């Protein structure tokens, strides 16, 4: 499994090229890095099927040049061009780039002027006040760098689930394929679909644990073995994550799966229920005296404790146990239940693909409708659209819909935009143009530092615009990178209810915005939500799944999510609810 290593190299290549001011190429490498990261299939397997041709056909964005790069890597384990570039620029680019606000051009200057090569160097230089003295830098950028470094430290190295999930699923499949494995499943925070994960917990049922351990240790992407015993092995993977593997007998599978899925808080609460009933619960089973009364399956275990089955995404001891006892658990939205995607960027602004390519990618994912929501004018670096460009794009969408219809596709492309919320809460596109769009999303992309009060007022003012349908990625956080803006979530949710505004669950893995706690509040208040990919390339539409996980962790049902509805129901909701002209 080479995908994560390869993606990292491609991404570094993009940064190295950008540092050298090479035009176009950086974007191409970055695009492919993202595609590779999202692949479920091993790049090696794709290559085996048909060489560089298969790479070009199977991985979005791969042309002749990058196909050669990947081929060399698969064949020799290294790429000469990449190594040459690394030698010329001996800095930890990925490590430096991870700091919010630090980009390739800045890395180049910092390296050339201050010999900054690592994040530690960067911190030292900033603390010594050396950065503010550089041309084009200042006290503000120095402070921002230090803030970024502090934030990275506080996130404690947890990884974003959406970034590592494809690899984890590949690993799970490999273990499931061991002849001696009766079952294999990844438990822990991965199974609960937390936004970020600390490590991977794998559970295997087998009568031959020693054989399982032997085969597991042969998997090529293990970097280091911390320890390996008869039924338990701990390793570090090449992607930097730790993995725990445990083998259990079939009669303990349910109890072990329950225990290692967690959360710890959920487990503690279950154990207390067991004790009250005069039982004992541990990872081997539920016992009355020495007799096991449940533990083979999770369903049986919950039943014996007097509870309905609780979905893993809910197991945080935040009310799910009481609800399970009272038979009041929500019927969660299911994976695969979305019919549309209401936030998609294209090459009209900062997306990689054309509207038509995005439409076909959506068809492939089984969607019935999408909204094209390119950025608007005040986000100048993306080539944001003004009223004129938006009008032109609407005409292009009409044509695209005709073309799709002629080709026999049922997909409907909606006209939309991701409009900027200006500092005072007004929008950067005039109402006359907004009124012509099917879906108007708006987001905060500037002035992140306003006080909570100002920020709340700003967003509510935007929601009061009758043309606005959805607030995109409300908190603007980037996990492990940027703190959310400050706002009063209760006030915002009340205002969303009053104005009929939809709040988005942005499924882009490092956004996952709004978070589960707010989703739960929206469900309670009757505020509708959408789950959108925020795709900037065809491969990103798959992120919708990550959004469904997030929605489930927030107790959302199908009815709470507007793009799980049929198109006609959505459209009439958009019109009636906002009293749009
Ligand atoms: P992570 O890895 O930090 O993202 O979070 P988890 O939830 O995967 O935690 P982890 O890997 O430390 O342990 C996996 C599960 O094992 C955890 O969800 C619940 C269970 N567990 C671990 N330690 C304890 C404990 O001290 N008490 C109880 N009741 N359960 C535990
Ligand atoms: Ca874990
Ligand atoms: Ca663990
Ligand atoms: Zn964008």
């Amino acid at each position: 499994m080479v995908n994560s290593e390869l993606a990292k190299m491609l991404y570094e290549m993009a940064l190295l090229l950008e540092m050298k001011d090479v035009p176009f190429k950086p974007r191409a490498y970055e695009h492919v890095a993202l595609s590779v990261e999202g692949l479920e299939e091993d790049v090696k397997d794709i290559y085996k099927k048909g060489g560089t041709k298969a790479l070009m056909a199977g991985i979005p964005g791969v042309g002749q040049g990058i196909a050669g790069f990947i081929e060399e890597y698969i064949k020799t384990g290294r790429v000469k061009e990449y190594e040459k570039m690394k030698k010329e620029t001996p800095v930890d680019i990925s490590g430096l780039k991870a700091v919010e606000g630090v980009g390739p051009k800045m890395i180049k200057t910092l390296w050339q002027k201050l010999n900054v090569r690592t994040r530690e160097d960067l911190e030292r230089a900033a603390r010594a006040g050396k950065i503010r003295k550089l041309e084009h830098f200042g006290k503000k950028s120095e402070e921002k760098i230090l803030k970024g470094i502090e934030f990275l430290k506080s996130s404690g190295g947890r990884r974003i689930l959406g970034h590592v999930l494809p690899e984890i699923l590949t690993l799970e499949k490999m273990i499931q394929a061991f002849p001696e494995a009766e079952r294999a499943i990844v438990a822990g925070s991965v199974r609960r679909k937390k936004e970020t994960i600390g490590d991977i917990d794998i559970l295997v049922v087998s009568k031959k644990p020693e054989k399982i351990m032997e085969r597991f240790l042969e998997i090529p992407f293990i970097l280091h073995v911390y320890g390996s015993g008869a039924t338990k092995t701990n390793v570090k993977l090449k992607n930097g994550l730790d993995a725990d593997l445990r083998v259990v007998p079939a009669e303990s599978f349910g109890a072990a799966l329950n225990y290692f899925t967690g959360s710890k808080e959920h487990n503690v609460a279950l154990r207390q229920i067991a004790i009250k009933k005069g039982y004992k619960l541990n990872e081997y089973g539920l016992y009355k005296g020495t007799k096991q009364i449940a533990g083979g399956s999770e369903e049986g275990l919950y039943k014996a404790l007097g509870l309905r089955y609780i979905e893993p995404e809910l197991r945080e001891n935040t009310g799910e146990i009481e609800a399970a006892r009272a038979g009041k658990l929500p019927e969660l939205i299911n994976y695969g239940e979305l019919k549309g995607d209401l936030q998609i960027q294209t090459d009209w602004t900062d997306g990689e693909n054309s509207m038509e390519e995005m439409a076909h990618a959506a068809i492939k994912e089984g969607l019935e409708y999408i909204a094209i929501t390119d950025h608007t004018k005040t986000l100048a670096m993306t080539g944001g659209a003004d009223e004129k460009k938006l009008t032109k794009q609407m005409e292009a969408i009409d044509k695209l819909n005709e073309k799709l219809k002629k080709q026999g596709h049922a997909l409907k492309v909606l006209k939309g935009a991701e409009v900027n919320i200006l500092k005072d809460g007004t929008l950067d596109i005039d109402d006359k143009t907004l009124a012509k769009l099917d879906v108007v999303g708006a987001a905060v992309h500037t002035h992140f530092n306003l006080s909570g009060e100002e920020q709340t007022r700003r967003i509510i003012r935007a929601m009061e615009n009758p043309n606005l349908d959805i607030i995109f990625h409300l908190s603007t956080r980037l996990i492990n990178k940027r703190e959310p803006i400050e706002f009063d979530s209760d006030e915002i949710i009340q205002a969303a209810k009053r104005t009929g505004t939809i709040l988005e669950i942005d499924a882009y893995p490092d956004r996952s915005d709004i978070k589960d706690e707010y989703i739960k509040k929206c469900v309670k208040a009757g505020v509708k939500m959408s789950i959108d990919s925020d795709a900037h390339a065809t491969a990103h539409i798959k992120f919708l799944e990550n959004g469904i996980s997030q929605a489930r962790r927030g107790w959302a049902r199908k009815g709470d999510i507007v793009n799980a509805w049929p198109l006609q129901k959505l459209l009439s909701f958009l019109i009636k609810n906002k009293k749009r002209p």
Side-chain angles (χ1 to χ4, degrees):
M1 188 161 70
V2 299
N3 293 10
S4 70
E5 263 175 89
L6 179 64
K8 195 172 165 232
M9 274 173 80
L10 289 162
Y11 192 60
E12 285 218 345
M13 196 65 192
L15 296 170
L16 287 162
L17 289 164
E18 207 173 329
M19 281 170 78
K20 290 199 147 178
D21 288 317
V22 177
F24 309 119
K25 271 190 171 180
R27 286 299 293 275
Y29 273 90
E30 191 183 344
H31 179 190
V32 176
L34 282 167
S35 304
V36 168
E37 218 169 49
L39 281 178
E40 268 152 42
E41 206 179 347
D42 197 323
V43 173
K44 249 187 193 156
D45 294 335
I46 298 177
Y47 179 75
K48 263 189 225 148
K49 274 190 238 158
T52 51
K53 280 220 181 82
L55 294 175
M56 287 190 272
I59 309 172
V62 174
Q64 207 92 48
I66 298 184
F69 186 104
I70 299 175
E71 179 176 47
E72 190 181 340
Y73 177 68
I74 290 173
K75 277 187 166 165
T76 67
R78 40 192 285 219
V79 182
K80 287 209 186 87
E81 194 193 349
Y82 168 79
E83 285 179 1
K84 185 169 151 259
M85 299 267 285
K86 282 289 277 185
K87 224 175 177 172
E88 286 168 9
T89 318
V91 298
D92 172 18
I93 303 187
S94 315
L96 289 166
K97 177 74 174 28
V99 180
E100 161 76 350
V102 176
K105 300 268 156 58
M106 202 187 255
I107 294 171
K108 189 174 166 185
T109 312
L110 290 165
W111 170 55
Q112 287 175 339
K113 304 272 183 215
L114 300 174
N115 198 27
V116 166
R117 292 169 184 237
T118 63
R119 212 185 288 159
E120 289 72 40
D121 294 344
L122 180 67
E123 184 173 2
R124 227 173 293 131
R127 293 216 185 279
K130 285 182 183 164
I131 291 173
R132 68 179 76 179
K133 289 186 193 136
L134 295 175
E135 208 181 330
H136 306 304
F137 287 73
K139 201 168 159 219
K140 249 193 162 163
S141 34
E142 192 175 87
E143 278 164 5
K144 198 172 165 208
I145 286 171
L146 280 173
K147 213 172 139 193
I149 291 172
E150 281 310 313
F151 189 65
L152 274 175
K153 282 186 183 165
S154 68
S155 60
R158 294 181 66 82
R159 299 286 285 276
I160 296 169
L161 178 62
H163 288 169
V164 286
L165 191 59
E167 269 200 7
I168 294 174
L169 294 178
T170 306
L171 178 65
E172 188 181 58
K173 272 190 207 135
M174 288 172 92
I175 299 169
Q176 282 165 349
F178 294 171
E180 298 83 9
E182 288 162 38
R183 327 178 64 148
I185 184 167
V186 174
S189 50
V190 175
R191 185 162 179 245
R192 302 201 314 282
K193 300 284 171 22
K194 292 281 285 182
E195 296 164 353
T196 63
I197 60 159
D199 72 351
I200 310 172
D201 307 279
I202 310 161
L203 209 61
V204 178
V205 174
S206 176
K207 292 188 188 74
K208 294 187 175 156
E210 63 297 333
K211 267 314 243 195
I212 299 290
M213 294 310 171
E214 222 180 280
R215 289 188 196 276
F216 181 63
L217 293 176
E218 275 167 16
I219 289 180
F221 50 92
I222 290 175
L223 183 69
H224 173 75
V225 181
Y226 295 116
S228 182
T231 60
K232 190 170 175 277
T233 289
N234 297 325
V235 300
K236 186 177 201 72
L237 302 178
K238 283 183 183 163
N239 66 11
L241 273 167
D242 287 347
D244 295 340
L245 178 96
R246 284 180 194 78
V247 181
V248 297
E251 64 271 19
S252 291
F253 176 67
L257 179 60
N258 190 252
Y259 181 88
F260 292 111
T261 295
S263 65
K264 197 171 158 185
E265 292 73 18
H266 180 86
N267 291 356
V268 169
L270 288 186
R271 211 168 310 150
Q272 281 164 353
I273 295 175
I275 291 168
K276 269 199 200 127
K277 289 186 180 288
Y279 304 151
K280 199 181 109 197
L281 175 64
N282 58 31
E283 62 262 50
Y284 302 102
L286 183 67
Y287 296 88
K288 189 173 183 181
T290 53
K291 190 171 168 264
Q292 196 207 54
I293 55 170
S297 75
E298 279 197 317
E299 287 79 4
L301 184 65
Y302 281 110
K303 200 166 172 210
L305 291 172
L307 303 172
R308 297 277 170 89
Y309 175 76
I310 300 173
E311 297 286 352
E313 293 92 331
L314 301 184
R315 299 183 195 170
E316 301 293 341
N317 195 26
T318 51
E320 76 279 11
I321 292 174
E322 294 75 4
R325 190 186 289 122
K328 286 188 175 156
L329 283 169
E331 195 172 314
L332 299 178
I333 179 166
N334 270 310
Y335 292 97
E337 256 182 353
L338 294 181
K339 295 192 193 314
D341 187 346
L342 301 180
Q343 195 198 154
I344 283 182
Q345 274 76 230
T346 71
D347 59 6
W348 281 67
T349 57
D350 64 344
E352 299 284 345
N353 296 96
S354 67
M355 295 199 295
E356 189 168 356
E357 285 166 337
M358 295 309 278
H360 282 285
I363 292 168
K364 242 189 181 167
E365 289 296 315
L367 297 181
E368 294 169 19
Y369 54 88
I370 56 170
I372 301 292
T373 56
D374 276 299
H375 292 289
T376 51
K377 60 188 173 194
T378 51
L379 216 58
M381 73 238 186
T382 66
D386 57 10
E387 285 78 0
K388 226 168 124 191
K389 188 168 165 182
L390 263 178
T391 307
K392 245 175 104 185
Q393 193 180 29
M394 286 188 240
E395 287 161 15
I397 291 174
D398 282 334
K399 286 209 183 99
L400 175 58
N401 274 321
E402 275 168 38
K403 188 167 173 189
L404 289 169
K405 201 171 166 190
K406 264 193 206 140
Q407 290 170 339
H409 296 298
L411 185 91
K412 173 92 176 149
V413 182
L414 302 176
K415 298 163 187 167
E418 177 176 8
V419 178
N420 292 316
I421 302 176
L422 300 173
K423 189 178 176 202
D424 64 357
T426 57
L427 304 179
D428 75 339
I429 294 291
D430 67 36
D431 285 325
K432 209 176 108 215
T433 310
L434 292 181
K436 291 185 193 140
L437 294 168
D438 299 309
V439 189
V440 176
V444 167
H445 288 117
T446 54
H447 300 96
F448 297 120
N449 291 329
L450 301 184
S451 72
E453 225 170 281
E454 281 175 289
Q455 208 69 270
T456 304
R457 235 184 303 127
R458 173 190 188 190
I459 294 165
I460 291 177
R461 179 155 182 214
M463 292 198 287
E464 281 165 350
N465 183 319
N467 291 304
L468 184 138
D469 300 301
I470 313 177
I471 296 285
F472 287 161
H473 50 72
L474 172 67
S475 88
T476 79
R477 71 162 175 184
L478 295 174
I479 299 174
N480 286 357
K481 194 155 188 183
R482 184 170 70 208
E483 294 275 16
I485 54 173
E486 283 174 34
F487 57 87
D488 184 323
S489 62
D490 293 321
E491 254 187 79
I492 298 255
I493 288 167
Q494 271 173 32
K497 178 75 188 163
R498 172 170 58 81
T499 57
T501 305
I502 297 160
L503 294 186
E504 179 193 62
I505 300 169
D506 190 310
Y508 211 87
D510 50 4
R511 288 199 183 268
S512 299
D513 184 8
I514 49 182
K515 62 178 176 179
D516 49 5
E517 191 191 321
Y518 298 158
I519 297 171
K520 226 169 161 177
K521 285 186 185 179
C522 285
V523 170
K524 217 168 163 192
V527 167
K528 300 299 175 203
M529 291 162 280
S530 64
I531 299 175
D532 307 328
S533 69
D534 198 353
H536 283 66
T538 49
H540 298 166
I541 295 180
K542 282 204 165 67
F543 291 156
L544 286 175
E545 182 124 332
N546 181 57
I548 298 175
S549 294
Q550 180 89 347
R552 286 168 64 87
R553 286 193 302 102
W555 295 48
R557 303 149 301 182
K558 193 175 170 180
D560 298 312
I561 307 295
V562 297
N563 55 320
W565 304 349
L567 178 62
Q568 284 316 317
K569 184 175 169 190
L570 169 71
L571 289 178
S572 56
F573 178 83
L574 289 176
I575 293 165
K576 266 190 245 149
N577 210 45
K578 286 299 286 196
K579 300 189 186 63
R580 278 178 62 169

